[in-house]
Amino acid sequence: MYIKTSKSKIFIKKNNVSEDIPYLFLHGFTGCYKSWDSVIEKFDKHSYAIDIPGHNKSKFKNIDEDYTIDDWCYELYIILNELNLKKINLCGYSMGGRLAIAFADKFKDKINSLIIESSSIGISESELRSERYYHDKELAVDLKNNLESFINAWEKNPMFINQMKRNKSGWIKQRENRLLNDSKQLAKALEVFSPSNMRYYDKAFQEFDFPIYVINGSEDDKYIKIGREMIRLNKNAKQYIIDNSGHNTHLENLDMFIDVLNNIIYE
């Protein structure tokens, strides 16, 4: 189904309806709602998967109009109210994890639990923030010029190095879905949702009073370290390390990722 807001048209898919508090899954950059298909099928709980604006079926209404992470937060709030969802378990991967944290900060009353996979609370150093801003600007230009060439380069990121070997069919589907994106819409999403446009959420994260579950791959050293900082900041946070996986744990080791989700339910 589609829900229209003032600045975007957002696609959301409902799964396994029940009376339980649902899970809402947010994909990473270049992904889409289908990125969670295997998780949703195996987890088999009331859930929603969404296309973040600029990805797949969700579109920015005006590519030239300003759009911010705050806009995203307010739009997701509108969507939850349209769906009559008072509380959600919000699960975000990578870029989706950062957007989940931003939303949780603005609308704490909507969060039952927060599940953060391979993500961060932002960039603290101003110099690194500036470097990332210009880096993502350059990437957006490349993306507008040639989507397939950009995806080819994106998939060579060391964080994704073992994905095809560990889950070839999942990797192929992921690539097919990535290539369905509109290059101009995706380029805008890259710029809008860049961590350079996020504030550093250290103080906000400390104040979260709901359960937080931080999931990292055993080979993703950078984000394991970031995850440890998260659990240091908040006593409600717990970290899980998924064996035999890098950045995208739910693609590389689906069974263990599902085990973690099930473990969270019974805590």
Side-chain angles (χ1 to χ4, degrees), residues 9 24 70 83 105 109 115 119 126 133 137 142 173 177 185 203 221 242 248:
K9 178 182 177 185
L24 192 147
D70 281 349
L83 297 170
D105 175 48
D109 61 309
I115 304 166
S119 195
S126 58
Y133 174 81
K137 279 279 189 185
D142 293 340
K173 288 178 184 176
N177 289 329
Q185 286 278 335
K203 291 180 181 178
D221 294 339
I242 305 288
N248 189 334

Side-chain angles (χ1 to χ4, degrees), residues 7 11 27 44 49 144 164 207:
K7 290 192 173 185
F11 179 81
H27 59 78
D44 195 28
K144 287 176 188 175
M164 186 169 70
E207 295 173 359

Side-chain angles (χ1 to χ4, degrees), residues 176-192:
E176 289 172 349
N177 289 329
R178 282 172 166 165
L179 292 171
L180 291 174
N181 284 300
D182 175 272
S183 61
K184 291 181 180 178
Q185 286 278 335
L186 191 60
K188 184 173 178 68
L190 172 58
E191 294 184 86
V192 167

Side-chain angles (χ1 to χ4, degrees), residues 32-266:
C32 67
Y33 77 97
K34 292 181 180 179
S35 303
W36 296 103
D37 279 356
S38 296
V39 171
I40 288 168
E41 180 180 354
K42 201 156 191 175
F43 190 40
D44 195 28
K45 297 291 186 294
H46 185 194
S47 65
Y48 295 82
I50 194 168
D51 277 346
I52 293 167
H55 294 77
N56 196 34
K57 296 182 179 183
S58 292
K59 308 296 183 184
F60 297 106
K61 284 185 177 177
N62 184 345
I63 206 80
D64 298 318
E65 184 181 8
D66 284 344
Y67 188 102
T68 67
I69 289 172
D70 281 349
D71 288 328
W72 150 257
C73 292
Y74 287 117
E75 289 190 339
L76 181 56
Y77 185 76
I78 290 168
I79 288 168
L80 297 184
N81 288 340
E82 285 273 340
L83 297 170
N84 197 28
L85 300 178
K86 293 181 173 59
K87 292 271 188 180
I88 56 170
N89 299 295
L90 185 56
C91 177
Y93 161 67
S94 197
M95 178 191 75
R98 290 187 280 105
L99 295 182
I101 290 168
F103 178 81
D105 175 48
K106 282 207 172 293
F107 300 105
K108 297 178 181 65
D109 61 309
K110 287 291 190 183
I111 305 298
N112 184 62
S113 69
L114 189 63
I115 304 166
I116 303 298
E117 179 191 1
S118 305
S119 195
S120 75
I121 57 174
I123 302 172
S124 59
E125 300 90 348
S126 58
E127 185 177 342
L128 290 178
R129 184 187 296 272
S130 179
E131 287 177 7
R132 182 60 182 264
Y133 174 81
Y134 289 107
H135 173 72
D136 286 349
K137 279 279 189 185
E138 291 176 2
L139 282 181
V141 172
D142 293 340
L143 175 48
K144 287 176 188 175
N145 289 335
N146 191 317
L147 173 64
E148 186 170 3
S149 176
F150 176 87
I151 296 299
N152 289 341
W154 184 257
E155 289 173 342
K156 291 176 183 175
N157 189 309
M159 292 193 299
F160 311 142
I161 193 167
N162 290 315
Q163 287 183 0
M164 186 169 70
K165 179 176 71 176
R166 288 185 171 138
N167 184 354
K168 186 174 182 179
S169 63
W171 184 88
I172 290 171
K173 288 178 184 176
Q174 175 181 256
R175 178 174 171 79
E176 289 172 349
N177 289 329
R178 282 172 166 165
L179 292 171
L180 291 174
N181 284 300
D182 175 272
S183 61
K184 291 181 180 178
Q185 286 278 335
L186 191 60
K188 184 173 178 68
L190 172 58
E191 294 184 86
V192 167
F193 301 125
S194 167
S196 65
N197 287 325
M198 280 182 65
R199 63 186 179 86
Y200 187 55
Y201 282 91
D202 57 336
K203 291 180 181 178
F205 197 86
Q206 290 178 58
E207 295 173 359
F208 289 167
D209 61 356
F210 38 75
I212 305 165
Y213 305 99
V214 180
I215 301 175
N216 300 110
S218 60
E219 298 163 4
D220 195 4
D221 294 339
K222 175 183 175 180
Y223 282 87
I224 288 175
K225 184 177 178 181
I226 292 170
R228 286 175 182 157
E229 176 63 12
M230 288 181 177
I231 63 172
R232 185 193 68 78
L233 286 171
N234 192 307
K235 61 179 174 46
N236 297 311
K238 183 173 183 179
Q239 186 179 32
Y240 291 85
I241 306 297
I242 305 288
D243 291 336
N244 301 314
S245 63
H247 195 62
N248 189 334
T249 67
H250 67 271
L251 177 72
E252 296 181 50
N253 195 338
L254 174 62
D255 288 343
M256 193 167 179
F257 185 84
I258 297 297
D259 286 345
V260 168
L261 293 185
N262 285 324
N263 185 68
I264 287 169
I265 290 173
Y266 296 111

